[in-house]
Amino acid sequence: MAWTKYQLFLAGLMLVTGSINTLSAKWADNFRAEGCGGSKEHNFEHPFLQAVGMFLGEFSCLAAFYLLQCRATRQSDSSVEPHQTFNALLFLPPALCDMTGTSLMYVALNMTSASSFQMLRGAVIIFTGLFSVAFLNRRLALSQWVGILATIVGLVVVGLADLLSKHDSQHKLSEVITGDLLIIMAQIIVAIQMVLEEKFVYKHNVHPLRAVGIEGFFGFVTLSLLLVPMYYIPADSFSGNPRGMLEDALDAFCQVGRQPLIALALLGNISSIAFFNFAGISVTKELSATTRMVLDSLRTVVIWALSLALGWETFHPLQILGFFILLMGTALYNGLHHPLLACLSRSWHPPTQEGEQERLLGDSRTPINDAS
């Protein structure tokens, strides 16, 4: 069936905003500017402040939810339920996991390339599968286990490509290794978030945009408050600010004042996360979960291609092999091979009335705010 203009718009919006989300964060990291008190010019390395901005973008999804709710009330549309009763504190544990995982990933993005950052996030499949078996009593199909093994191999290949690539003064080999490991550690936390959402949140049938907004609220408030003690916690070489603290939000604002393009990059990150969540939820509703997963894989290609074009990283052929192995692992785990086998079967046999079951992450679900 041909896509409508609205469906094409949603698919394009998801692909573009998803790519902008990672690229804008990396763009901000590449800027150099003076900080407060006449400090020397240095890189904009403020991952925790960037994470606060991301949660602000998620928090804005609440506005989109209430706009849709008002529209549904006028048009008697049941897709947005006006009377959903649940305890908002249910979203606090997943939000804390999201806050921790996102902060780690933004720290890692300062240390490694945007394409490796996006590819290594595929590790979430491994831990999601294992945790769903351990804590949700879910049984994985053979194809899902094969997908997990393929993902492990793909991660090894991508990591090897990072080790063999040429590294400049901004991304030293030790930093790249640390960044890659932090990304994989973050995926463990994201997988815990997904298990918590599956076990405690989804059964309440909360609208996805509302769920994203509530988790964004908890993450924004909690991490904003944590910026205060972070200003006084020494981090030595782990820190990228002149004072050597875990996070120096004042230094970040001084750098933004001296280099306005940083503000543009941060605004792009905040707005893209909101539109990406909305587009992703809409694509799943209007098209299919399979389409959403394919588009999510395509944005990795877009990020990789633009990073190479902008000179942010050097090309290594092993990355191609690693990406395709990761893509194969994702496809197998999410059952994307079933439509292909069905098409081949229909070409050899008369059409049947059997439906196609589509999944996001196997029999489990993607994290409510699968955006960054």
Side-chain angles (χ1 to χ4, degrees), residues 69-366:
Q69 189 181 61
C70 291
R71 178 187 174 191
T73 302
R74 290 195 302 267
Q75 299 179 357
S76 299
D77 184 1
S78 61
S79 62
V80 180
E81 299 179 14
H83 302 293
Q84 295 170 319
T85 57
F86 62 92
N87 187 348
L89 290 177
L90 285 172
F91 291 91
L92 182 57
L96 294 178
C97 290
D98 189 25
M99 180 189 73
T100 307
T102 299
S103 298
L104 281 177
M105 284 190 280
Y106 275 120
V107 170
L109 189 57
N110 283 305
M111 301 179 177
T112 190
S113 64
S115 62
S116 294
F117 168 84
Q118 195 66 35
M119 291 182 192
L120 291 174
R121 289 181 63 197
V124 70
I125 286 176
I126 301 171
F127 305 110
T128 301
L130 296 178
F131 290 165
S132 66
V133 171
F135 300 109
L136 299 177
N137 297 319
R138 184 164 289 119
R139 299 182 65 179
L140 301 183
L142 177 61
S143 60
Q144 290 177 300
W145 286 113
V146 174
I148 289 175
L149 291 176
T151 301
I152 294 173
V153 174
L155 292 174
V156 171
V157 174
V158 171
L160 187 61
D162 279 345
L163 292 177
L164 298 178
S165 296
K166 296 180 180 178
H167 303 288
D168 53 26
S169 57
Q170 183 179 355
H171 291 141
K172 298 177 182 178
L173 179 59
S174 59
E175 291 182 345
V176 170
I177 295 173
T178 303
D180 289 353
L181 291 175
L182 284 176
I183 295 170
I184 294 175
M185 286 174 57
Q187 303 319 302
I188 300 176
I189 300 172
V190 172
I192 295 173
Q193 173 195 346
M194 295 170 66
V195 170
L196 290 173
E197 290 173 348
E198 176 78 10
K199 195 170 184 65
F200 301 111
V201 176
Y202 279 110
K203 64 182 179 182
H204 294 280
N205 195 29
V206 182
H207 190 276
L209 280 177
R210 191 177 190 183
V212 171
I214 295 174
E215 285 195 12
F217 169 76
F218 282 125
F220 174 75
V221 172
T222 304
L223 196 53
S224 295
L225 293 175
L226 287 176
L227 288 180
V228 177
M230 286 179 182
Y231 185 80
Y232 300 100
I233 298 175
D236 299 326
S237 59
F238 185 73
S239 170
N241 57 75
R243 294 178 61 247
M245 299 300 165
L246 187 58
E247 179 61 282
D248 191 339
L250 295 181
D251 179 70
F253 290 125
C254 289
Q255 286 189 291
V256 170
R258 289 176 170 81
Q259 176 52 270
L261 286 178
I262 298 177
L264 180 62
L266 295 177
L267 182 61
N269 188 252
I270 293 171
S271 56
S272 64
I273 201 74
F275 283 106
F276 177 71
N277 275 291
F278 170 76
I281 292 167
S282 300
V283 164
T284 302
K285 177 183 176 182
E286 296 288 334
L287 295 167
S288 67
T290 301
T291 305
R292 181 174 180 174
M293 292 303 301
V294 171
L295 290 172
D296 204 47
S297 299
L298 283 177
R299 75 175 173 131
T300 303
V301 179
V302 173
I303 291 168
W304 185 23
L306 288 176
S307 296
L308 290 172
L310 294 170
W312 290 355
E313 58 184 276
T314 55
F315 172 79
H316 197 287
L318 271 181
Q319 280 191 314
I320 299 178
L321 177 61
F323 171 72
F324 278 112
I325 295 175
L326 286 172
L327 187 62
M328 182 179 67
T330 302
L332 287 170
Y333 188 87
N334 291 286
L336 303 188
H337 59 290
H338 292 310
L340 177 61
L341 294 176
C343 289
L344 292 175
S345 178
R346 283 194 295 268
S347 66
W348 290 96
H349 303 284
T352 65
Q353 298 298 318
E354 294 181 358
E356 171 191 332
Q357 180 182 6
E358 296 176 336
R359 295 174 295 222
L360 285 174
L361 284 174
D363 292 328
S364 62
R365 308 196 186 203
T366 53

